[in-house]
Amino acid sequence: MKILGIESSCDETAAAVVEDGRIVLSNVIATSLEEHKLYGGVVPEIASRRHAEAISGVVKEALEQANCTMADIDTIAVTYAPGLIGALLVGVNFAKGLALATNTPLVPVHHIRGHIASNYISSDIEPPFLCLIVSGGHSHIVAVNSYTDFEIIGRTRDDAAGEALDKAGRTMGLEYPGGVSIDRLSKQGDENAFKFPKPKVNGSPYDFSFSGLKTAVINTVHNAEQKGEQINIADLAASFQKSVVDCLITNLEKVAVEKSFDKIVIAGGVSANSKLRAEAQKLCKKNKWDLYLPELKYCGDNAAMIASQGYYEFLQGVSADESLNAYATMPIDKSNKTN
Ligand code: KG4
Ligand code: ZN
């Protein structure tokens, strides 16, 4: 079964053809990132306009690279939530028009569910498993009970991990996205040079908080500026990255031990982080757990992951008609509730 995936939730316009949820026949991505770098973050209006310009060409190319026409496509899967609303609407409306014109079924896909599915195209893993999802907008620990049944066990109380990295990177004067710059620069820094307090979260033992850490970095930079002192930014980047990764790994271990998971999955843009990947490997080796990480090319936003998740949603009977809307927010466990 061939699924055409369409993704436009942030600054990547993407289309892909995936067979049976696992075999990627094409994966095309156009990004407006370079333009957003000028502003230090994604400008929603610019992102929407670039999606509108790019989407037809990107879909056409994805079909061509997969040696397909729309006659070969069984279902269209489109990201409908969460994300920038204007950006999402471009993909959703394009998908609805294409579905109507070609009489093809349409499946709405939750973006974060898609990130989890990036592991289905990178390995042979099947649910149930425990997943740490870390992106620009989300930091969650989720029990993936089946392909379409998700249970949130831990979540951030404030900033997402990627958001904290991006904001800290900006304060350090690094290029957007800060997460990528911090990862790169940290390789030349001493991660023990700066000590940041471990964030305390009241209530759930599995929740995260990153805003205090982010503020600590901002204060460190501002204090140094006021005193006219030079800071070694590579040391600061490495120390901050270590603190963020420590929080993620500590809670991941706590949940996996207490809930008896031995299959661990990481997903989302921050899953590309070299420190997180290395620490996750150490953690899983120590506990003799199986670890699954997406291939680097599937860590960031792409449409192959949307087509993959769309396949499993379709098998569960999920579908949409021409009334499908886009939503800026949507909990992962509430999307397309079929059980
Ligand atoms: O999943 P994603 O592409 O978009 C969202 O759904 O949010 O994630 C983007 C986030 C950004 O915050 C970016 O800084 C972060 O992923 N990111 C990284 C790395 N690559 C991307 N963070 C740390 N290290 C990286 N190598
Ligand atoms: Zn994403």
Side-chain angles (χ1 to χ4, degrees), residues 48-338:
S48 305
R49 284 168 184 264
R50 297 298 165 257
H51 286 313
E53 287 164 4
I55 195 151
S56 307
V58 165
V59 169
K60 196 165 163 227
E61 201 176 321
L63 289 168
E64 277 170 13
Q65 285 188 16
N67 268 326
C68 287
T69 66
M70 277 310 292
D72 304 306
I73 298 297
D74 299 290
T75 296
I76 300 168
V78 64
T79 306
Y80 80 119
L84 301 171
I85 193 69
L88 285 165
L89 280 167
V90 176
V92 165
N93 279 324
F94 187 91
K96 287 201 291 187
L98 190 59
L100 193 67
T102 57
N103 202 18
T104 308
L106 181 63
V107 176
V109 174
H110 188 284
H111 180 76
I112 301 299
R113 291 188 180 195
H115 272 300
I116 296 173
S118 62
N119 284 280
Y120 304 146
I121 49 182
S122 298
S123 72
D124 56 5
I125 187 164
E126 292 176 12
F129 53 79
L130 186 69
C131 184
L132 170 70
I133 302 151
V134 269
S135 72
H138 291 77
S139 298
H140 282 152
I141 298 178
V142 173
V144 181
N145 299 324
S146 78
Y147 288 105
T148 53
D149 181 16
F150 302 80
E151 187 187 334
I152 300 172
I153 299 179
R155 68 176 82 218
T156 182
R157 293 289 182 90
D158 37 60
D159 291 352
E163 189 182 356
L165 286 161
D166 291 347
K167 287 179 183 163
R170 193 173 177 164
T171 307
M172 292 179 217
L174 305 177
E175 185 180 74
Y176 179 83
V180 178
S181 300
I182 286 176
D183 191 1
R184 197 178 305 135
L185 193 60
S186 292
K187 297 195 169 68
Q188 299 150 33
D190 171 6
E191 63 181 18
N192 297 310
F194 292 85
K195 294 268 174 278
F196 297 113
K198 258 205 148 51
K200 287 199 186 68
V201 184
N202 296 327
S204 164
Y206 308 133
D207 282 359
F208 307 109
S209 166
F210 295 110
S211 78
L213 269 180
K214 177 197 68 188
T215 308
V217 168
I218 294 172
N219 289 344
T220 305
V221 172
H222 289 171
N223 287 343
E225 273 169 9
Q226 275 163 9
K227 291 184 195 154
E229 290 170 3
Q230 283 289 326
I231 283 192
N232 183 321
I233 295 294
D235 287 352
L236 186 62
S239 304
F240 180 65
Q241 177 177 268
K242 178 177 187 288
S243 298
V244 171
V245 170
D246 276 354
C247 295
L248 296 171
I249 293 290
T250 302
N251 285 18
L252 182 61
E253 180 169 31
K254 215 184 294 175
V255 176
V257 168
E258 289 177 18
K259 310 252 174 208
S260 305
F261 280 96
D262 58 6
K263 273 201 289 185
I264 309 294
V265 168
I266 318 248
V270 184
S271 67
N273 184 264
S274 54
K275 172 84 180 162
L276 177 61
R277 292 173 87 94
E279 292 302 324
Q281 251 139 13
K282 275 192 223 161
L283 171 78
C284 291
K285 199 168 170 205
K286 180 182 92 178
N287 289 290
K288 299 195 171 56
W289 297 332
D290 291 332
L291 174 68
Y292 298 83
L293 297 164
E295 288 172 70
L296 286 177
K297 64 181 171 185
Y298 298 127
C299 288
D301 291 346
N302 65 84
M305 67 186 197
I306 301 302
S308 173
Q309 181 62 24
Y311 172 74
Y312 295 105
E313 301 276 350
F314 181 81
L315 294 185
Q316 274 297 308
V318 173
S319 68
D321 61 17
E322 57 285 349
S323 66
L324 178 66
N325 207 343
Y327 301 91
T329 59
M330 164 91 54
I332 190 172
D333 51 345
K334 301 286 185 305
S335 174
N336 307 327
K337 200 120 182 82
T338 52

